[in-house]
């Protein structure tokens, strides 16, 4: 199958430079983003060459950092702020 477009509107519409810088910064050990990404890397739908999910089409190092994002297979969900 072809490459799918990311289904997460907040990612597609992201234009704030602060958000872009934060997304490309290294993941902090033990962070929710790192925990999510480890789950993704163990999934059979993860495309390691492009770091993309075959199901939702999202680039996972970006998506895992967005607190409101969810996995299409319910392997991880939204992060609460408190």
């Amino acid at each position: 199958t072809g490459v799918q477009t990311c289904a997460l509107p907040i990612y597609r519409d992201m234009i704030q430079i602060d958000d872009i810088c934060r997304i490309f910064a290294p993941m902090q050990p033990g962070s929710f983003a790192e925990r999510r990404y480890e789950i993704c890397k163990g999934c059979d739908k993860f495309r390691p060459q492009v770091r993309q999910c075959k199901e939702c089409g999202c680039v996972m190092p970006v998506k895992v950092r967005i607190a409101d994002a969810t996995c299409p297979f319910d392997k991880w969900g939204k992060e609460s702020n408190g």
Side-chain angles (χ1 to χ4, degrees), residues 2-48:
V3 174
Q4 186 171 343
T5 304
C6 181
L8 192 63
I10 193 170
Y11 171 64
R12 286 195 313 260
D13 298 335
M14 185 174 28
I15 57 170
Q16 297 295 323
I17 191 70
D18 290 343
D19 291 335
I20 293 169
C21 291
R22 180 177 44 81
I23 283 171
F24 290 103
M27 284 185 213
Q28 296 299 313
S31 67
F32 75 85
E34 182 188 55
R35 291 189 302 271
R36 288 173 167 186
Y37 195 53
E38 288 302 315
I39 292 168
C40 293
K41 290 192 306 188
C43 180
D44 65 341
K45 300 294 183 188
F46 182 70
R47 299 175 63 211

Side-chain angles (χ1 to χ4, degrees), residues 59 62 70:
V59 176
V62 174
T70 60

Side-chain angles (χ1 to χ4, degrees), residues 53-66:
C53 175
K54 291 178 188 176
E55 181 67 21
C56 68
C58 293
V59 176
M60 299 318 297
V62 174
K63 182 176 181 177
V64 297
R65 295 169 190 260
I66 301 170

